[in-house]
Amino acid sequence: MPTFWLVILLCVIAAAGYVLGRQRALSSAGGDARALHSLPAYYGYNVGLSTLVPALGLLVVWLLAQPMLIENRVSGMIPAEAIPEGTTLGLVMSDVRRVAEGLDIAVAEGVLTSEQVRNMRSEFSDIRGRLGEVGVALGSDVRPEVFNAAQAYRSSSATGHTAMVIAVALVALVGLGLSYSKTNKDFRARNTVERAVMALLILAASLAILTTIGIVLSMLFETRNFFGLHSWTDFFFGGTWAPNFRGDSELSILPLLWGTLYISFIALLVAVPIGLFAAIYLSEYAGPAVRAFAKPLLEILAGIPTIVYGLFALLTVGPLLVRIFGQGENGVLGVEWMSGATSVLTAGVVMGIMLIPFVSSLSDDIINAVPQAMRDGSLGLGATKSETVRQVVLPAALPGIVGAILLAASRAIGETMIVVMGAGAIAKFSANPLESMTTITTRIVSQLTGDTDFASPETLVAFALGLTLFVLTLGLNVLALYIVRKYREQYD
Amino acid sequence: MTDISQTPSNMGGAAEQSKSGSLLTQNARTRKRNAAEMRFRGYGIAAIVVGLIMLVVLVTTIVGRGTGAFQQTFVTLEVELLESKLDKKGNRDLEDIKKVTTFGYAPIIKAAVQSKIEGLGIETSLKPKDMAGLLSKDAAAQLRAYVLENPDQIGQTVEFRFLAQSRVDGYLKGRVSRESIENDKNISGAQLDLVDALVAAGVVEKTFNIDFIIGADASDQRPEAAGIGVSMMGSLFMMLVVLALALPIGVAASIYLEEFAPKNWLTDIIEVNISNLAAVPSIVFGILGLAVFINYMHLPMSAPLVGGLVLTLMTLPTIIISTRAALKAVPPSIRDAALGVGASKMQAVFHHVLPLAAPGILTGTIIGLAQALGETAPLLLIGMVGFIASNAPETIADGLLAPNSAMPAQIYEWAKRADPAFYERAWGGIIILLVFLVTMNTVAVILRRRFERRW
């Protein structure tokens, strides 16, 4: 039974439980709801929840744990000498999974019967060819150990699934039976239900922690695998980024970090002056009409998806820059400084446009938080408005503005689509903003799209890059929030 | 400029200066200060104008480049569906008709083009093969699909609108000119002469192209047949997953944090966590999705379900933050009144606070969904690009689990392709995406205006 239908079945049982529980409570009170401890619906909820929640919980845990257990058992079947030179157990296991999935697909499409699959011997039949027919491409011929492991994988998956369906259904029915038998007019149904709902609320709130743990763990594990295959000194201190498939890739983060920081710097160079001056004008000079008109319009820029900016960089800004700085008769300046549309400047400028509203609305809030008394004092001493802004308001708002700029920087470092489409793919150290360079996020995308092999350092490096990116942006955010919060305490 | 921190001796100098001048005429220093004031103000206005110009440029670029995608050039021909070619046995059995591949339809189309041109009396030196080359490579497949749907039409002559190939389309839209095709293998000057004659005869014309909105993506060679409809379905299913998961979980988490959570270290950790998650780069969520949902849980690659799960995790902080704001806006008197008439705390929240906060929650959810709809980076990592989603999903399970694309991923895919005709599609796709986003945001604003209560 597919998991989807199992969930539907659970919901049906729970709905039936609600009706049954409510009826039993009412009949135990002789049909008079006033004699019950709680409102009748609570008795129904109680039965329904005791049916659904433990069963769904078991289902989730089972779905998470089963692959791990099976993986452990099956990988124990593969002897160490069956792992060819240059690969790892993980790679062999991914072969096993592919074969197992392929066999499942073949059975589902009717190319093979389950009987045939069970009696297949890799020594006698051409498994690779048969699986190729159903669209599962295998890199090499299937070796007997792999095939046997795949068979074991299939059979334990199937057994596990059947056991799961039975266990989950059983838990649901036991929950139904127990809570139904407890239902009578004196049962404190509301208290029980409220305790359960409270537990669910806490569970939902802690999902945020689970997500963070998931992010950190998933990247840590793969990063550890990566450092098992590739030296960490090269990753952190090497000077070249040159992945290849011969196995002697040089994977250093430094050129990528340089590209990332350079592009972010240019983006901030565009966004900070424009955003800051816009914020100053909107909060200090503009009348309510201008403010009501310009502020939402500027904020539209923040709501536009990054893919739009990416396309804008690739198809509009890039070609425009080539026409200005490019070679041949097309170049307006007649210089040959730029050959392709992708460059640091392209990505930086477009990213700067995206960040304008980010800087402006954050600084706007901060400038507005500076007490009016400080402005009045300065103006009363005869300072002009701009002198007040420069010498009183801005110094008072400075920590907050620095925080806003740091947040914008963290946004710029983590931005993906604009640099994927506008920055290019060449990793190098160069100070020329008209050359194309590459960034951490761009490399994550390119190492993880297409056919990926989770046993090669060229793929796994993406996780190390991701972890670095995560730590970098998290650090910037924490620093920014710290600065902003510290500043806020002065006036509250 | 430095009047606040001026030393007494300077102050004295200034006083002397003003003694000699009049209050009605500005002295040099005042003029300088006023000029600085004007400059500063000018910088502010310039910054806002630059920002607004960027917005205008962006919007005009999108509209200017994208509207072309909604129109397509069609060639109207009378096609004789020869029974001898399409249904040799003559029994109208679908299985038999299906055996005729698109190669079987090509000669029929070629004949139709030739007879049309001869019928109009247009002189051309082109060979019949080049005449048929004006049509899309999709034309045979188009005709075959039509015949399979209407087998009773075999043996008759039907009027049929074929897609023109992308260069012809570009020629009518002004993207392709006679100079730009000099090195182009796909079309020749003589063919463009023929196009001019056919346009004059009304055979080739540009009309509204519904297939762009509802159709499926097409391969590299056939930009004229590509549409965004199927990836729209992919986006729709992802949004359903996000709505079904992020809304209940987000609301539950906010209720706990806002109404029940005791002030302790655990609550603090959760709150810090949520605000940090809101600032994590979206691509990191893609890595999480790849590692957990695909590598560990073995959910299918490219499935909208996985995309939806990843976007759920990404949207949750947004929804939680706005829901908490909405709950906070409900005054404590409501809770006190409910508690006063004997409701439990849980009843007060679920029966009274939550309904009053619903418009705010809904607004936040819609804005979160709009954000998720435009997100691309995590989808690249879970494989929602790089293939052609050719069929619209038929069942819900199919829609969730069968490989599909999503609107922004489809736009990225088009932008990567070599043929410039796809760029027009990409801009057109952006128009559709933005229409969705604008609609969602407008609904959110209207909801807020209409139902928001000030206490």
Side-chain angles (χ1 to χ4, degrees), chain A residues 201-261:
Chain A
L201 294 184
I202 294 178
L203 195 71
S206 48
L207 194 73
I209 296 188
L210 275 183
T211 311
T212 313
I213 295 176
I215 289 177
V216 172
L217 280 190
S218 65
M219 290 199 295
L220 264 183
F221 270 119
E222 303 288 359
T223 306
R224 205 195 54 190
N225 288 345
F226 169 67
F227 286 136
L229 294 168
H230 194 89
S231 85
W232 64 274
T233 43
D234 180 54
F235 179 72
F236 285 114
F237 304 113
T240 344
W241 171 270
N244 63 46
F245 294 104
R246 292 190 302 275
D248 55 347
S249 309
E250 289 182 86
L251 304 166
S252 163
I253 194 174
L254 288 183
L256 308 184
L257 198 62
W258 167 248
T260 307
L261 294 180

Side-chain angles (χ1 to χ4, degrees), chain A residues 42 64 97 194 202 212 214 274 281 285 297 305 311-312 315 382 384-387 391 420 445 449 454 477, chain B residues 1 33 37 45 47-48 58 65 256 273 279 283 288 295-296 298 344 346-347 380 412 415 427 430 437:
Chain A
Y42 278 105
L64 286 174
R97 272 199 304 274
E194 287 188 352
I202 294 178
T212 313
I274 297 182
Y281 186 81
Y285 289 96
L297 276 184
L311 204 63
F312 188 62
L315 298 181
T384 64
K385 234 176 176 176
S386 66
E387 285 161 358
Q391 289 163 14
V420 164
V445 169
T449 43
F454 281 89
N477 286 324
Chain B
M1 199 177 140
R33 284 177 67 195
E37 171 73 26
I45 294 177
I48 289 183
L58 201 58
R65 295 235 206 158
Y256 176 71
N273 237 306
I283 189 153
L288 173 74
N295 264 357
Y296 179 69
H298 299 304
S344 71
M346 193 73 77
Q347 284 171 326
L380 302 185
Y412 172 68
W427 290 110
I430 280 182
L437 294 185

